[in-house]
Amino acid sequence: MSGRARAVGRAFFDRPPEVVAEDIIGCEISYGGCGGIVVEAEAYGQRDPASHSFRGETPRCRSMFGPPGTVYVYMTYGIHWCLNLVTEAEGTGAAVLIRAIEPSHGLDAMRERRGVADDRLLCAGPGRLTQALGITGDLDGLPLGDAGLHVGRRRATPEVARVPRIGISQATDLPWRMVARESRFLSRPIPRSIAA
DNA sequence: CACAGGATATACT
DNA sequence: GTATATCCTGTGA
């Protein structure tokens, strides 16, 4: 790599989740010497039935209501950690779920934690990505920087497709899953009906 | 390729 | 008790 990109500005997260989700595609995210380029992210809003924040604050989603740039890490299906970054404004309950990154550095450590042969499966999914980076609920509620997370500015503008989100049954019509069109590191391919 | 099932925390009925 | 912002493994077409 040609060095770490300068971090995104403080105002980067002070925007609606669907805007941040689109703009974070192509940014490099790093943690503990490992990381990669974000190729897939989903937006979750307060008035969004699919969002944990929809029915208000609970112990699990408390950090979703923190200031933009707060880390929200929750456990799903009792097994996997999922990494989110709070957006928009404090108290709004909006966040972006990081669903997949294209590994760019720290490959050996990530391979060791994941134990898979194919590098394309290292970080292709929200649970896989946190396992690869070694991210757990310890980071929940911390400001991005205090958590040791780094989000670098884009070095190039990727072509982004907006498609329906994955694994939800509410608000399935909202195209709030953002994916890098040309990426081979997505958790799931772009739906054929949208590939156009 | 398409399922089915298991692991099992958290929230809701 | 049931569903979920998931992943892995096994079975069968």
Side-chain angles (χ1 to χ4, degrees):
Chain A
M1 288 274 79
S2 52
R4 164 184 278 196
R6 195 151 60 93
V8 294
R10 170 62 181 74
F12 182 85
F13 295 103
D14 297 352
R15 301 176 294 164
E18 68 274 23
V19 174
V20 176
E22 177 157 3
D23 282 1
I24 207 167
I25 303 299
C27 293
E28 187 172 60
I29 190 164
S30 305
Y31 178 75
C34 300
I37 308 296
V38 179
V39 294
E40 180 176 343
E42 285 179 357
Y44 287 89
Q46 185 175 39
R47 265 169 256 94
D48 169 9
S51 173
H52 289 165
S53 62
F54 184 63
R55 292 175 193 80
E57 197 176 311
T58 67
R60 177 178 64 170
C61 71
R62 187 181 74 255
S63 51
M64 249 186 122
F65 292 89
T70 297
V71 178
Y72 171 42
V73 179
Y74 69 91
M75 172 160 278
T76 191
Y77 291 92
I79 310 176
H80 305 290
W81 296 108
C82 293
L83 170 66
N84 303 252
L85 298 170
V86 175
T87 84
E88 200 155 11
E90 184 166 7
T92 305
V96 167
L97 168 68
I98 309 300
R99 286 195 56 92
I101 64 178
E102 174 177 343
S104 64
H105 57 287
L107 278 281
D108 287 341
M110 293 197 284
R111 289 183 186 118
E112 189 163 336
R113 281 189 285 256
R114 288 280 295 126
V116 293
D118 188 348
D119 280 353
R120 280 190 289 183
L121 294 178
L122 269 187
C123 304
R128 292 164 172 167
L129 169 164
T130 54
Q131 185 187 20
L133 294 178
I135 287 174
T136 71
D138 291 352
L139 305 190
D140 184 50
L142 296 174
L144 188 67
D146 292 0
L149 274 169
H150 180 269
V151 179
R153 293 169 188 259
R154 277 178 176 166
R155 293 184 165 112
T157 305
E159 195 184 338
V160 177
R162 301 173 54 124
V163 304
R165 293 173 290 181
I166 290 180
I168 58 166
S169 57
Q170 310 273 319
T172 51
D173 54 314
L174 279 181
W176 279 7
R177 175 185 174 222
M178 315 300 176
V179 296
R181 268 195 188 279
E182 307 307 318
S183 180
R184 297 163 40 245
F185 296 86
L186 304 180
S187 67
R188 288 176 55 175
I190 296 173
R192 285 166 43 86
S193 54
I194 300 173

